[in-house]
Amino acid sequence: MEKVLDRKIKLIWDFRGPGAAKTAEHYEKHLAEFIIIEELKFDITGFQHMTDMHSIAYLVVAEFEMKEVREILKPQRGEVYLEN
């Protein structure tokens, strides 16, 4: 069984409106830069287009990093990250 502090947490930013797709793609680049600057444990970012008017950008962090990253970057939501 996975220990609680070993879990991966997916922090999510929602973008809505006609420019949501481009905004999410651009924001993901900043998240990738943040990983390097802050030397985070995982190098997992991405974006996903949910609909024409809703896209997300995300960053995966180790659970022990989550509170600090959440305070700095202010994501709208988060969930446990399950690898496919």
Side-chain angles (χ1 to χ4, degrees):
M1 178 179 269
E2 188 173 41
K3 294 179 186 174
V4 172
L5 292 179
D6 289 340
R7 292 189 303 186
K8 295 178 181 175
I9 306 297
K10 182 178 182 180
L11 301 176
I12 302 168
W13 290 261
D14 291 286
F15 300 97
R16 298 183 188 275
K22 289 202 178 285
T23 303
E25 289 179 33
H26 178 78
Y27 198 77
E28 188 267 340
K29 293 176 186 176
H30 290 293
L31 294 175
E33 292 170 350
F34 184 82
I35 288 172
I36 295 166
I37 292 166
E38 296 296 322
E39 300 177 352
L40 298 181
K41 183 173 180 177
F42 303 116
D43 183 17
I44 304 171
T45 63
F47 59 88
Q48 188 175 3
H49 306 302
M50 312 305 277
T51 68
D52 290 345
M53 301 290 278
H54 179 212
S55 294
I56 65 168
Y58 64 86
L59 165 67
V60 176
V61 297
E63 189 161 8
F64 71 87
E65 299 170 318
M66 190 248 326
K67 285 185 180 181
E68 183 177 356
V69 173
R70 186 182 66 203
E71 289 298 314
I72 295 168
L73 297 180
K74 312 274 192 254
Q76 277 82 33
R77 55 197 172 101
E79 60 189 39
V80 174
Y81 178 73
L82 302 173
E83 298 177 73
N84 296 335

